[in-house]
Amino acid sequence: MYRHPWVQEQARRRRLAVEAARQRAAIERPIQIISDPPEPISDVPVTGLGHLATLPNEIIMIVFDNCSLRSLLRLERVNKAAKTFVSLLHDIVFVRETAKGIIQRAVPQFRTIMFTILKITTYHGLRQLLATYTCETCGKPGSFRMVKVKVLCDECNTPRKLKDR
């Protein structure tokens, strides 16, 4: 099949651009080198997880750590082995109960925002948000607030108009 040289040049440029994007992504997210020898997460048998059972427990936990809380809660309902594995995640009970409490206490318009946050935030990111107790603005002690999904202290959370009075 004949291709005009201009079309061939365009295809070559696209391939180069894709390769450059891959290299940029690799530079921005370098591989983390673990200095300590890895500790086994658990000796819990993985029977009942289907094809996931072929992976080491550590890899499964890394995958679960990057799932949303909603996905993990759905996965728990699959079978006992999946529920056991999800329960091995660090602070899963704290994150589950805290997220549940935030949603229950939220005003209806913020409740929909919280559901959206729970759908798109990874478990690792959500755990970090809920377990961080320092204000991202001033560094003082604070707690999770629904202000652009940041951890703020009470002083930084109050509107500017109230501070000026």
Side-chain angles (χ1 to χ4, degrees):
M1 181 171 137
Y2 174 74
R3 284 191 172 174
H4 192 275
W6 181 78
V7 173
Q8 292 174 352
E9 180 64 23
Q10 284 257 322
R12 187 182 72 76
R13 285 183 185 166
R14 283 191 196 117
R15 282 193 305 274
L16 290 174
V18 167
E19 184 59 34
R22 281 190 196 128
Q23 290 174 356
R24 268 195 312 272
I27 290 169
E28 290 173 5
R29 290 180 270 128
I31 296 175
Q32 295 179 355
I33 298 171
I34 301 172
S35 58
D36 299 333
E39 288 182 22
I41 291 177
S42 172
D43 295 330
V44 174
V46 291
T47 57
L49 288 179
H51 291 294
L52 282 177
T54 61
L55 296 173
N57 292 359
E58 290 79 11
I59 302 295
I60 296 172
M61 296 307 279
I62 290 170
V63 170
F64 287 178
D65 209 30
N66 289 303
C67 291
S68 67
L69 182 63
R70 183 179 182 195
S71 300
L72 292 173
L73 295 178
R74 286 180 174 178
L75 180 66
E76 278 186 331
R77 291 183 262 163
V78 171
N79 60 20
K80 289 181 183 179
K83 185 172 184 157
T84 303
F85 244 96
V86 171
S87 69
L88 294 173
L89 281 170
H90 185 65
D91 290 337
I92 185 71
V93 175
F94 168 75
V95 171
R96 182 189 301 131
E97 294 303 315
T98 306
K100 182 180 173 184
I102 288 172
I103 289 173
Q104 287 175 346
R105 290 188 307 270
V107 181
Q109 66 256 22
F110 287 129
R111 191 171 292 151
T112 57
I113 295 171
M114 269 309 295
F115 277 125
T116 305
I117 289 171
L118 291 176
K119 286 178 193 175
I120 62 174
T121 307
T122 64
Y123 172 76
H124 178 76
L126 187 63
R127 187 183 82 218
Q128 191 169 357
L129 271 175
L130 296 176
T132 302
Y133 297 109
T134 55
C135 179
E136 293 180 15
T137 307
C138 67
K140 293 179 184 175
S143 61
F144 181 74
R145 306 275 194 222
M146 284 295 304
V147 180
K148 293 186 181 178
V149 191
K150 289 185 175 182
V151 176
L152 298 173
C153 64
D154 291 328
E155 194 175 299
C156 292
N157 188 42
T158 56
R160 300 261 184 234
K161 294 175 185 176
L162 294 178
K163 286 183 182 179
D164 295 337
R165 290 183 186 176

